[in-house]
Amino acid sequence: MTTLNGKVLVLTGAGISTDSGIPDYRGPRFTTFHQSRQRYWARSYLGWPLMKKAQPNISHYALSKLQLNNYIQQIITQNVDGLHQEFDSKKNILELHGSLNQIHCLNCGHIKQRSDYQLILSNLNPKWNDFLNNVESGKFSPVVRPDGDMDLPYGTSYDSFNYSSCVQCSIGIYKPSVVFFGENVKDNIRQESIDLVKDCKSILVVGSSLATYSAFRIVKLASDLGKDIAIINLGETRGDNLSFLKIDFPCADLLPEIANQLTKS
Ligand SMILES: [Zn+2]
């Protein structure tokens, strides 16, 4: 019988963070247009307090427990929310698409924490800061449209949002250190993911439909190398035909039970 054992590599996707209320901030055309960046940063500015409040959920906890007990050797995540690291920052987590917790200058590469940039944005946009304070204190409940935009007061539009250039080189613009749609995974990260697949015995996909090619490629490589593949995901995935086991189930309903059974002393 085929089983997941030995060096297990886990690949997680958006399905694991849904229960933490994580919105998706990876938009297209970030670097091409000034207006796209204004819109991105304005929305990111308004959404950041919510992002900061998001907590890991029972699925993250279960995987963490399995990893600490050596049932899982390594986790690769497609998520950019940093929630896997909340329990233990020293664990082996490869963030395939980067992290929203960090930004970098596109000119000189200067790295900044996203939290620090929030303060800069607040100073550059006093009206938006007032608006955000009113939303946070409950004085104002904005209408959020289906595409994630909010109805803004003061007759403002996203065009009025200011963002700063790099504090180090003064000319570069900051970008969140995540792979946006249409961009490629960094070469060193891609190579690391390939090495992890080669090194593992089996792979478990959790909460991902593998719609993103960079994620599907990992599972395809695992299949080509004859590794055992199991998938826990609610709904079809691109890797279903490659797996020996597919469990069509929400991961939050299953992972805690698996972790409890395996780590029972
Ligand atoms: Zn710079």
Side-chain angles (χ1 to χ4, degrees):
M1 185 182 134
T2 314
T3 52
L4 288 178
N5 55 33
K7 292 179 174 178
V8 179
L9 174 63
V10 170
L11 173 63
T12 67
I16 196 171
S17 288
T18 320
D19 293 322
S20 294
I22 291 291
D24 200 334
Y25 286 112
R26 297 199 302 134
R29 299 192 305 278
F30 180 84
T31 56
T32 322
F33 302 110
H34 171 62
Q35 278 194 333
S36 303
R37 289 197 291 272
Q38 279 183 308
R39 188 164 184 275
Y40 177 87
W41 280 123
R43 292 171 57 151
S44 168
Y45 176 73
L46 297 176
W48 184 248
L50 190 68
M51 274 295 291
K52 287 302 290 174
K53 269 187 228 150
Q55 295 291 319
N57 59 55
I58 49 175
S59 299
H60 295 101
Y61 179 67
L63 288 179
S64 180
K65 204 170 165 186
L66 289 169
Q67 195 170 16
L68 291 172
N69 284 277
N70 298 319
Y71 287 100
I72 295 170
Q73 190 178 40
Q74 173 84 32
I75 294 173
I76 300 178
T77 185
Q78 301 173 66
N79 301 336
V80 293
D81 51 42
L83 290 179
H84 277 300
Q85 290 90 327
E86 294 275 326
F87 292 110
D88 180 0
S89 59
K90 294 187 289 297
K91 285 195 309 259
N92 297 326
I93 314 280
L94 180 67
E95 293 175 307
L96 196 61
H97 296 143
S99 170
L100 280 174
N101 289 323
Q102 187 186 295
I103 63 175
H104 66 276
C105 170
L106 290 171
N107 181 51
C108 73
H110 180 244
I111 288 173
K112 213 167 171 46
Q113 291 304 302
R114 175 63 183 79
S115 298
D116 296 339
Y117 199 55
Q118 187 77 356
L119 299 176
I120 292 177
L121 294 177
S122 286
N123 289 332
L124 287 173
N125 300 280
K127 276 190 174 180
W128 290 75
N129 188 26
D130 288 347
F131 172 64
L132 191 52
N133 287 338
N134 284 335
V135 171
E136 285 212 283
S137 64
K139 278 189 202 156
F140 182 74
S141 298
V143 175
V144 181
R145 296 191 219 118
D147 65 358
D149 279 355
M150 289 181 185
D151 278 333
L152 304 167
Y154 319 119
T156 48
S157 73
Y158 290 112
D159 294 351
S160 70
F161 198 80
N162 301 309
Y163 57 90
S164 80
S165 49
C166 173
V167 296
Q168 186 166 276
C169 71
S170 306
I171 51 169
I173 52 166
Y174 284 113
K175 175 185 180 291
S177 302
V178 300
V179 178
F180 277 56
F181 295 118
E183 293 180 340
N184 293 323
V185 171
K186 277 188 190 168
D187 285 347
N188 62 324
I189 301 289
R190 193 169 63 89
Q191 189 54 51
E192 204 176 324
S193 71
I194 290 171
D195 292 343
L196 288 169
V197 172
K198 285 180 180 165
D199 188 48
C200 79
K201 164 96 173 38
S202 50
I203 182 163
L204 172 65
V205 178
V206 177
S208 173
S209 63
L210 303 173
T212 310
Y213 186 69
S214 52
F216 175 68
R217 185 167 51 194
I218 288 172
V219 174
K220 178 73 171 54
L221 175 65
S223 173
D224 291 345
L225 294 174
K227 315 282 179 175
D228 297 329
I229 300 162
I231 300 174
I232 304 172
N233 187 62
L234 189 61
E236 270 182 39
T237 87
R238 239 169 138 180
D240 287 358
N241 293 337
L242 307 177
S243 64
F244 76 88
L245 176 67
K246 164 69 191 297
I247 303 175
D248 205 321
F249 217 63
C251 49
D253 293 346
L254 197 59
L255 287 176
E257 188 56 31
I258 294 173
N260 283 341
Q261 290 290 333
L262 288 175
T263 59
K264 217 187 277 177
S265 51

